[in-house]
Amino acid sequence: MSLEQAREWLQAAGSVVALTGAGISAESGIPTFRGDGGLWQNYRAEDLATPQAFARDPRLVWEWYNWRREIIAQAKPNPGHAALVRLEIAKPRFTLVTQNVDGLHDLAGSGRVLKLHGDIWRMRCTQCGSNWPDRRVPLPKLPPHCACGGLARPGVVWFGEALPEGMMQEAEHAVREAEVFLVVGTSAVVYPAASLIPLARQSGARVVEINVEATPYSEIAHCSLQGPAGEILPQLIP
Ligand code: NAD
């Protein structure tokens, strides 16, 4: 199925959902987990982004987050993020669901973003549970602490943790109503986020995938467009 066909579906749709992953921020210079540059000091993300790793060595995990925050702080939204802002403005019903923690959709101007995996610019206290924004780069002291004295953790969802309360349900509700479902720059192996793709297909949405390579869901997408999101999205959403 061609890009022109996908553009027509999008233009005709009143209700659209977009699910984004690390790939949409790759052209902004933020490494994906599963692509080149995803390693840090020979650690894989799966070995650091877990509650177990944090319990074992909070300083090591914070050093990794500090490094990621430094990279993300230098990044700017790219034409892929901007295209999704245009889509939000154009459509009566639009929901942006992201697995990214980088905040680039916010910076681009997206009004409402369901951040399934949280936000790297927020902190949460492991003791009193309060959470707050912190954009300092680098962080002055590792690991950071809360005003109550408790150890702070990044405000993100780690492998094996539950998503923010109610957010997946809200995403699923939007997907059930969607006429077109865009899947952008995700390897679609992290659950439950990836389950939105078969749900969209079952609910009758046209599924349009944008990725530089084939994924487990390319086969079930109605249209799989191979190429960088920063180039394909502006063509889909002129
Ligand atoms: P992933 O690293 O597993 O997969 C990235 C996907 O993007 C791959 O399928 C790759 O082929 C594709 N891709 C790479 N460059 C692209 C481009 N220019 N255009 C389109 N597609 C491109 O990432 P994921 O699926 O989002 O899942 C992994 C987890 O990683 C998520 O939970 C997310 O929170 C986290 N993560 C977030 C960031 C971020 O916030 N920017 C960065 C790395 C990882």
Side-chain angles (χ1 to χ4, degrees):
M1 207 63 76
S2 68
L3 190 139
E4 287 71 29
Q5 174 68 78
R7 194 195 293 133
E8 279 171 28
W9 289 338
L10 262 182
Q11 276 165 353
S15 170
V16 177
V17 173
L19 170 68
T20 64
I24 196 172
S25 296
E27 289 153 87
S28 294
I30 303 174
T32 62
F33 276 180
R34 291 174 184 81
D36 291 341
L39 281 184
W40 174 76
Q41 294 184 8
N42 289 328
Y43 290 98
R44 294 179 316 139
E46 291 87 339
D47 297 331
L48 293 167
T50 68
Q52 293 79 7
F54 190 69
R56 207 165 37 236
D57 194 344
R59 196 188 153 86
L60 174 75
V61 172
W62 264 117
E63 280 171 4
W64 179 53
Y65 276 94
N66 205 27
W67 171 77
R68 291 182 62 199
R69 286 161 61 107
E70 281 177 18
I71 293 172
I72 293 171
Q74 290 162 24
K76 291 188 185 60
N78 66 56
H81 297 99
L84 293 180
V85 178
R86 288 198 294 281
L87 196 58
E88 177 176 9
I89 293 166
K91 296 296 166 193
R93 279 163 294 148
F94 175 76
T95 304
L96 177 53
V97 186
T98 191
Q99 300 169 85
N100 295 347
V101 296
D102 56 33
L104 287 192
H105 286 303
D106 302 321
L107 269 188
S110 286
R112 207 172 128 267
V113 188
L114 295 182
K115 295 178 189 167
L116 292 181
H117 296 159
D119 189 330
I120 203 164
W121 300 114
R122 295 194 72 84
M123 306 254 187
R124 196 161 78 235
C125 179
T126 57
Q127 215 155 305
C128 72
S130 64
N131 72 88
W132 64 95
D134 186 333
R135 295 195 77 97
R136 288 175 299 170
V137 168
L139 286 161
K141 191 167 165 277
L142 296 181
H145 284 80
C146 174
C148 81
L151 178 64
R153 59 162 283 176
V156 302
V157 176
W158 284 327
F159 291 108
E161 289 187 319
L163 304 193
E165 174 113 29
M167 206 177 274
M168 192 63 194
Q169 288 76 358
E170 199 176 336
E172 284 167 352
H173 179 78
V175 166
R176 285 198 189 92
E177 310 268 294
E179 291 157 60
V180 175
F181 181 74
L182 295 178
V183 197
V184 186
T186 174
S187 58
V189 294
V190 177
Y191 280 80
S195 69
L196 294 175
I197 306 167
L199 177 65
R201 178 79 213 211
Q202 284 153 23
S203 312
R206 301 279 192 188
V207 177
V208 178
E209 178 180 65
I210 296 141
N211 200 304
V212 287
E213 58 187 38
T215 75
Y217 287 105
S218 301
E219 293 283 308
I220 72 154
H222 293 94
C223 176
S224 188
L225 302 170
Q226 273 198 21
E231 290 174 24
I232 305 257
L233 279 175
Q235 293 176 53
L236 269 184
I237 309 154

